Amino acid sequence: MVLSSGVENEGSLVKKVVGDLRITPNPFTSFATLPGHEAERFSLYDVSGRRVGTYRGDRVGEGLAPGVYFLKYQEMLKQVQHDEIVRIVKVR
């Protein structure tokens, strides 16, 4: 598992990497995907902290208006819950 976070360039595609979670593309126009986590569910929040929906990892953010959102990723490590919050951006 990768424990660093940052931006990774792969050709012309920019991927956000947090832990072992990759969100691609970010920013996105219709929806983003989380490779390897397609069947998992993720909560998405707007900038005011209001939950705007729960999405499968294969179509995060579909149907939302353009804006900045925060994806909440939860995983259990050694019987302790760890939360990651990742900023994603929908354009146009």
Side-chain angles (χ1 to χ4, degrees):
M1 173 186 282
V2 178
L3 296 177
S4 65
S5 82
V7 176
E8 174 184 308
N9 287 321
E10 191 171 287
S12 62
L13 185 64
V14 176
K15 296 181 180 182
K16 177 76 177 173
V17 179
V18 176
D20 66 347
L21 189 68
R22 290 181 303 132
I23 302 168
T24 182
N26 190 17
F28 62 98
T29 55
S30 55
F31 60 87
T33 61
L34 293 100
H37 300 274
E38 292 86 358
E40 294 178 49
R41 296 212 173 263
F42 299 89
S43 296
L44 207 58
Y45 298 84
D46 65 14
V47 294
S48 70
R50 181 178 60 95
R51 190 166 95 187
V52 295
T54 302
Y55 295 87
R56 285 178 42 131
D58 61 348
R59 297 184 86 77
V60 174
E62 184 173 46
L64 289 176
V68 176
Y69 296 93
F70 298 92
L71 179 132
K72 185 174 185 179
Y73 174 63
Q74 297 178 329
E75 73 177 330
M76 295 296 289
L77 295 174
K78 297 182 182 177
Q79 299 182 358
V80 176
Q81 180 174 318
H82 294 274
D83 295 343
E84 292 282 347
I85 306 295
V86 181
R87 181 177 59 99
I88 62 174
V89 179
K90 183 169 185 178
V91 293
R92 288 192 274 130

